[in-house]
Amino acid sequence: QVTLRESGPALVKPTETLTLTCTFSGFSLTTRGVCVAWIRQAPGKAPEWLALIDWDDGKYYNTSLKTRLTISQAPSENQVVLTMTNMDPEDTATYYCARQPRFMEWSFDFWGQGIPVTVSS
Amino acid sequence: EIVLTQSPATLSLSPGERATLSCRASQSVITYLAWYQQKPGQAPRLLIYDASKRATGTPARFSGSGSGTDFTLTISSLEPEDFAVYYCQQRTNWPSITFGQGTRLEIK
């Protein structure tokens, strides 16, 4: 059974760095053709892809946010960490992690429940 | 960046009716297009991938079609649980990934 769960702070201040952790089970990120992605969704808006990490530790970022994002696999092999620097109120959103397998043509087949993050002083 | 434009923004229909949702890409995405359903307070749920393949658990009343720049999600006979927001998503030019702005399917 594939599950993903996001964890991290619910509130950050402007200019601070956000660190989110995705803890997953039911699959391995060392399996060829499997990726884990981060996606966010501002209130009332469409989802926005942020970053992904693949089975070979390849890392890819949304070009418009690339300078602020870092994705990595935590020492515990079933965790992926996303950091976003210089947070702004416009970054207020629900942040999701999702699995992205090649056998599903890289669509997002399983999602976490999401973690709402508010940026405010 | 490939832009996905969904239409209509809102679709008002009654249970039992047929729904047709459109997604148009600013350039060809071949068939690398997926459809998601999202209900309030929930994460998006994958319905269709590779333009026309139903994901596990997707009811047969949902079908996807299209290639290149024009895609359609059809719900043959609406059930009460189908009223939600639907998004299309592409992944061409890996790993550039974008979503459409969504179509809200509401009860008439």
Side-chain angles (χ1 to χ4, degrees), chain A:
Chain A
Q1 179 187 4
V2 172
T3 64
L4 302 100
R5 186 183 77 252
E6 305 87 353
S7 59
L11 177 67
V12 297
K13 291 181 169 55
T15 74
E16 287 186 339
T17 293
L18 172 69
T19 299
L20 296 173
T21 300
C22 175
T23 302
F24 57 89
S25 64
F27 68 96
S28 173
L29 194 46
T30 60
T31 300
R32 187 174 181 82
V34 174
C35 304
V36 171
W38 283 95
I39 299 146
R40 72 178 178 180
Q41 188 172 29
K45 301 295 186 182
E48 176 183 31
W49 172 72
L50 299 177
L52 71 88
I53 186 166
D54 72 17
W55 67 95
D56 200 28
D57 205 35
K59 299 163 186 176
Y60 305 89
Y61 300 97
N62 183 316
T63 54
S64 65
L65 295 165
K66 185 175 184 176
T67 60
R68 299 173 54 206
L69 296 172
T70 302
I71 191 169
S72 62
Q73 188 168 11
S76 166
E77 286 194 350
N78 68 335
Q79 290 188 324
V80 170
V81 177
L82 180 77
T83 62
M84 179 180 287
T85 62
N86 195 25
M87 293 292 285
D88 181 271
E90 290 194 351
D91 296 314
T92 293
T94 295
Y95 288 73
Y96 298 98
C97 61
R99 187 179 79 161
Q100 191 177 15
R102 179 166 56 193
F103 67 83
M104 300 291 284
E105 292 300 335
W106 308 111
S107 59
F108 303 108
D109 66 341
F110 285 93
W111 296 60
Q113 64 186 16
I115 182 168
V117 177
T118 299
V119 184
S120 174
S121 55

Side-chain angles (χ1 to χ4, degrees), chain B residues 1-18:
Chain B
E1 177 180 284
I2 296 176
V3 176
L4 298 178
T5 302
Q6 293 186 240
S7 61
T10 303
L11 185 57
S12 299
L13 293 171
S14 301
E17 291 192 295
R18 182 185 186 90

